[in-house]
Amino acid sequence: MAVEIIVMVKQVPDSQEVVIDPVTMNLNRSMTRNVTNRADENALEAALSIKDKIGANVTVISMGPPQAETTMIECLARGADRAILVSDRFFGGADTYPTGLTLAATISKIGKYDIIIAGEESSDSSTGHVGPGVAEFLDIDQITYASNVDYEDGYVIGERELEDGTEVVKVPTPVLVTVLLNSNDPRRQTLRRKIDAIRKGFEVWNIEKVGLPPEWVGVRGSPTIVRRMRSIKEKERAGKKYDLTNLGELVKELYEKKVLKMEEE
Amino acid sequence: MAGIINATPVADPQQYKNVFVFLETREDKLLRPALEMIGVGKTIANKVNEKLYCIILGSDLKDMADEAVSYGCDVVLGAESPDLKTFRTMPYSHIVSNFVKSEKPNIFLIPATRNGRDLASRIAVSCQAGVTADCTEIDIETDTRILLANRPTYGESMLAEILCKRHRPQMATARPGIFPIPEKLKSPKGEIRINKVKIDKSLLKKEILEFRKKEAIDLTAAKVIVAGGMGLGKPEGFKMLGDLSNEIGGVIGATRPTADMGWITRDHQVGQTGQTVRPRFYLAAGISGKIQHIMGMKNSETILSINNDPQAEIFKYSDYVIVDDVYKVVPALLEEIRKYKKEHVGIAVENRESS
Ligand SMILES: Cc1cc2nc3c(=O)[nH]c(=O)nc-3n(C[C@H](O)[C@H](O)[C@H](O)COP(=O)(O)OP(=O)(O)OC[C@H]3O[C@@H](n4cnc5c(N)ncnc54)[C@H](O)[C@@H]3O)c2cc1C
Ligand SMILES: Cc1cc2nc3c(=O)[nH]c(=O)nc-3n(C[C@H](O)[C@H](O)[C@H](O)COP(=O)(O)OP(=O)(O)OC[C@H]3O[C@@H](n4cnc5c(N)ncnc54)[C@H](O)[C@@H]3O)c2cc1C
């Protein structure tokens, strides 16, 4: 039986052109283009390279508004076999808890899965909590912050990049993996696959299909609330100018103000 | 362990008391972020006259428990087993969730390190609670005991204040390198409760094949950082910076593209996807000042930047500015520093001897 891989992808505002409304302090979403979260392209690539090696089925799932369809088509055009957009007005305003819950319920409905792959974090709210949340809901093990993922005879071998080193782990499936941004080189969409993708289309699942009560999901199912947003006050800095002719004075000032010390401890 | 469950508000928040922190370890030693958690946790606990509980897992807890108490922990909750020497998601999340469910803390803080984040969200799901990620400011409303968790967002330009009013515990992860390490207490008093535990085999399926330790460069503890960017133009530029850095007792920092290019190893990287630093002195050589770099170093006490572009963004964040070629400025600066030290080292010694 083929290995079943599920990839979780999120559509995010393009971080290169994020515009903040100066009055409401909210993200002005109407001004920004939406793109696939970059780390999720790496997640899909990790899945596709396992597919290249052993011939797996790759299903992409995303929870989001209808415009996430562009991400669905893009993933199919890169080589995913199936794409499901989980979309319903009830899902709106979810924090990480109901986001994980909704994705986990979707995965349970899909039924069979051996490997679930997510990105390390999203570029917009970057909690990195959705992947591990899904694993907890499904009660399966996880390999987070992986720079390398491989599959062999029922096991996933992953290299986790920690602050002080690389941990190589081996876990029997089913397992959830989160992969690092830039950990691989995502393949491009091909025109032929793109045409096929548009023809074949993707599935849209609503809340009935996912099978969760409306009060468990979206904003109603979210324990956290954003109470307010403040702009971060930057420290005022003088920007005092020096040049090659007076570096001696600069050095004197740095030592006298104890910015530099004769003996660093 | 969790299953498909919703986040259920607790009936009575009054039943939830005290501040819990998770202490991250390696090889049965507390890591620096663990001490940072004790600091911020203790501050919060003191404000509402509650106790600070520290959760420690490992194979030999005695020394770590004593150390936690010496920094201000009131109660150590430990789980000890040879199987817990190294962090693994399944046994750790299982044990920590059980501690939380039985002890009912009002607040639970976890470091936003990679293993911390690996753990935090699973605990939140299992305990049906909310968690605010990667906080840089954490406070408590004293009358309501509501946690005020603040996290930077939108490229660090804004701070979002996030609350979990109806769920307990109120959880947050705290960004490493932000919260100060507390002073050691002169006469520490704390209760140590270490449970020897047996871990179910079903939780131990993850096998750790190997750990390749990186030469540990802890930029977060550095007092002086000499950082280089693409303006260096070639890998040798870092050698020049190394000479300067050695002279002033610093460590080398770098921008992401220099690490991408392989001019320097990744552990020197400062910024959004590198380390967050706050040294006494940060020298930025050939760095443009893109936001992803700035967010990692803008809290440095004094910043000097060298860039040949008079319009460089980095200058807005700088106390001292030199508009010129790094290859002219850095050697000249090094020479001036040597000169200054030579002229003053005698005086320093004399002063010490005469006093
Ligand atoms: C300013 C701000 C701050 C926030 N802070 C918090 C907070 O502290 N705590 C909190 O609980 N919520 C927070 N949220 C809400 C959070 O943005 C949403 O819960 C979001 O749906 C998922 O979180 P994330 O983007 O951080 O995902 P991450 O956990 O960073 O995403 C990791 C991976 O999970 C997968 N994934 C994530 N979302 C989806 C999706 N919708 N569909 C498919 N796959 C997905 C992707 O593979 C992704 O790479 C915040 C929102 C805003 C606007
Ligand atoms: C998701 C994401 C995460 C990121 N994370 C990080 C991160 O953690 N850290 C990070 O640093 N970046 C990060 N980046 C990259 C960041 O956006 C910038 O690209 C990067 O910081 C620029 O590095 P730089 O200043 O070295 O290079 P450049 O922007 O190319 O700047 C080089 C500078 O050197 C100057 N210069 C050139 N020649 C000389 C000379 N001879 N003498 C003096 N000055 C000279 C130029 O005027 C210019 O200002 C991230 C980007 C993304 C999208």
Side-chain angles (χ1 to χ4, degrees):
Chain A
M1 251 189 339
V3 169
E4 297 290 334
I5 306 179
I6 294 173
V7 182
M8 309 200 298
V9 301
K10 183 185 183 189
Q11 194 176 64
V12 294
D14 189 346
S15 62
Q16 302 302 315
E17 35 180 294
V18 168
V19 181
I20 293 163
D21 187 317
V23 182
T24 62
M25 301 283 207
N26 279 328
L27 194 64
N28 189 340
R29 286 182 194 270
S30 61
M31 302 275 292
T32 48
R33 209 161 55 101
N34 291 315
V35 295
T36 304
N37 184 42
R38 293 227 348 254
D40 302 353
E41 294 179 358
N42 299 114
L44 178 58
E45 179 57 35
L48 294 174
S49 42
I50 294 174
K51 179 180 167 177
D52 291 344
K53 188 173 145 185
I54 52 155
N57 285 322
V58 176
T59 302
V60 167
I61 63 170
S62 183
M63 181 187 89
Q67 68 255 31
E69 66 170 19
T70 48
T71 286
M72 298 286 88
I73 297 292
E74 184 191 312
C75 292
L76 290 168
R78 283 181 201 271
D81 301 294
R82 181 185 181 194
I84 302 169
L85 176 60
V86 184
S87 192
D88 200 306
R89 64 193 168 84
F90 288 110
F91 297 136
D95 74 4
T96 55
Y97 197 106
T99 301
L101 178 64
T102 305
L103 293 168
T106 304
I107 292 168
S108 301
K109 272 278 145 69
I110 292 172
K112 187 174 165 355
Y113 55 89
D114 299 292
I115 310 172
I116 302 169
I117 311 185
E120 59 168 311
E121 61 179 46
S122 71
S123 62
D124 57 347
S125 39
S126 44
T127 62
H129 285 173
V130 170
V134 167
E136 178 69 22
F137 284 118
L138 297 173
D139 198 12
I140 62 173
D141 207 339
Q142 67 194 31
I143 302 174
T144 52
Y145 302 102
S147 58
N148 199 11
V149 194
D150 200 4
Y151 173 87
E152 243 177 66
D153 302 332
Y155 288 86
V156 173
I157 295 124
E159 301 197 355
R160 299 184 65 219
E161 300 299 334
L162 300 181
E163 289 80 1
D164 54 349
T166 306
E167 183 185 77
V168 187
V169 297
K170 181 175 171 184
V171 185
T173 59
V175 60
L176 180 138
V177 183
T178 77
V179 303
L180 290 177
L181 173 67
N182 294 341
S183 56
N184 54 32
D185 193 6
R187 69 196 62 186
R188 295 173 181 279
Q189 315 174 34
T190 63
L191 187 60
R192 240 201 64 202
R193 277 211 222 95
K194 185 148 190 175
I195 294 166
D196 286 349
I198 293 169
R199 195 173 297 146
K200 187 167 130 200
F202 57 92
E203 297 161 49
V204 181
W205 287 19
N206 63 11
I207 190 165
E208 283 84 34
K209 177 84 186 176
V210 174
L212 288 172
E215 63 276 13
W216 284 24
V217 300
V219 69
R220 286 161 76 192
S222 296
T224 68
I225 53 155
V226 179
R227 180 158 78 173
R228 60 187 175 132
M229 300 278 262
R230 297 176 271 155
S231 45
I232 297 175
K233 280 195 297 294
E234 300 294 351
K235 188 175 156 194
E236 290 283 334
R237 303 210 186 237
K240 200 166 162 188
K241 279 202 172 146
Y242 283 90
D243 57 45
L244 286 171
T245 64
N246 57 7
L247 289 179
E249 288 164 40
L250 169 62
V251 168
K252 186 158 173 264
E253 180 166 343
L254 291 176
Y255 278 101
E256 284 178 355
K257 289 193 165 162
K258 298 202 161 38
V259 173
L260 289 178
K261 296 184 179 173
M262 296 296 282
E263 301 285 339
E264 277 300 333
E265 67 279 5
Chain B
M1 193 159 60
I4 303 289
I5 47 171
N6 68 331
T8 313
V10 298
D12 181 11
Q14 293 307 324
Q15 287 183 3
Y16 290 74
K17 261 212 281 301
N18 299 317
V19 176
F20 272 34
V21 294
F22 173 76
L23 303 191
E24 191 176 356
T25 66
R26 283 280 193 286
E27 300 286 313
D28 287 328
K29 299 229 164 41
L30 296 182
L31 293 182
R32 185 187 158 91
L35 307 182
E36 297 172 357
M37 289 310 101
I38 298 179
V40 57
K42 187 73 180 176
T43 308
I44 300 289
N46 282 346
K47 281 197 173 175
V48 289
N49 293 317
E50 290 186 347
K51 285 188 173 162
L52 175 69
Y53 284 60
C54 294
I55 298 185
I56 314 179
L57 276 56
S59 65
D60 180 6
L61 299 188
K62 172 85 178 59
D63 292 350
M64 294 193 285
D66 288 343
E67 192 182 359
V69 168
S70 77
Y71 280 104
C73 167
D74 297 305
V75 181
V76 172
L77 282 184
E80 200 171 61
S81 155
D83 291 326
L84 295 173
K85 180 157 184 173
T86 306
F87 175 88
R88 274 186 284 182
T89 309
M90 295 308 269
Y92 269 59
S93 63
H94 189 89
I95 291 170
V96 175
S97 294
N98 283 340
F99 275 144
V100 170
K101 285 173 188 168
S102 62
E103 300 285 333
K104 293 188 170 27
N106 182 39
I107 287 165
F108 187 18
L109 307 177
I110 295 175
T113 52
R114 291 196 158 169
N115 282 342
R117 291 194 200 203
D118 182 291
L119 185 68
S121 157
R122 293 195 72 128
I123 308 292
V125 165
S126 169
C127 299
Q128 301 175 277
V131 54
T132 304
D134 202 24
C135 298
T136 55
E137 283 180 26
I138 296 179
D139 203 352
I140 187 164
E141 220 168 59
T142 48
D143 48 344
T144 59
R145 297 187 308 139
I146 298 278
L147 186 73
L148 309 173
N150 289 275
R151 58 176 306 222
T153 172
Y154 303 145
E156 309 280 296
S157 58
M158 313 280 280
L159 207 55
E161 185 178 82
I162 297 181
L163 316 183
C164 304
K165 285 190 169 162
R166 300 162 58 228
H167 297 72
R168 295 292 180 276
Q170 305 170 77
M171 291 182 60
T173 62
R175 183 180 293 185
I178 297 288
F179 297 94
I181 292 176
E183 302 266 323
K184 279 200 177 189
L185 303 178
K186 294 217 174 58
S187 44
K189 275 200 303 283
E191 182 192 340
I192 296 177
R193 298 189 211 155
I194 296 175
N195 306 293
K196 292 217 185 292
V197 293
K198 202 165 156 13
I199 318 275
D200 195 278
K201 276 232 162 52
S202 65
L203 298 171
L204 297 173
K205 290 183 189 155
K206 181 185 281 173
E207 210 184 317
I208 298 178
L209 302 178
E210 125 179 66
F211 185 69
R212 296 195 291 268
K213 202 167 163 50
K214 278 193 294 222
E215 162 204 0
I217 294 178
D218 188 4
L219 294 176
T220 61
K223 297 273 186 254
V224 173
I225 294 176
V226 177
M230 291 308 286
L232 292 174
K234 52 187 179 205
E236 292 74 31
F238 278 104
K239 199 186 156 300
M240 172 178 77
L241 294 186
D243 294 341
L244 177 63
S245 172
N246 285 341
E247 194 62 42
I248 58 179
V251 294
I252 292 288
T255 62
R256 178 167 178 148
T258 61
D260 291 342
M261 297 285 289
W263 294 359
I264 186 105
T265 51
R266 183 72 61 195
D267 45 341
H268 293 275
Q269 185 184 318
V270 173
Q272 183 186 341
T273 43
Q275 302 188 51
T276 303
V277 301
R278 41 172 34 175
R280 175 162 21 84
F281 182 55
Y282 192 88
L283 188 151
I287 294 178
S288 58
K290 295 281 184 314
I291 186 70
Q292 295 89 351
H293 186 76
I294 296 295
M295 57 204 267
M297 48 65 82
K298 66 179 180 187
N299 291 322
S300 306
E301 277 172 45
T302 300
I303 299 173
L304 161 66
S305 13
I306 307 166
N307 196 303
N308 61 6
D309 172 9
Q311 307 300 331
E313 275 294 296
I314 188 92
F315 290 152
K316 290 192 198 147
Y317 302 89
S318 304
D319 302 278
Y320 301 101
V321 161
I322 304 171
V323 185
D324 213 326
D325 183 351
V326 278
Y327 286 95
K328 290 192 188 135
V329 179
V330 172
L333 195 60
L334 178 57
E335 196 176 313
E336 289 294 343
I337 287 167
R338 288 196 171 131
K339 212 162 92 191
Y340 182 91
K341 284 173 81 172
K342 208 159 157 193
E343 283 164 10
H344 290 78
V345 72
I347 300 170
V349 172
E350 270 168 38
N351 284 348
R352 209 177 297 153
E353 282 172 353
S354 61
S355 63

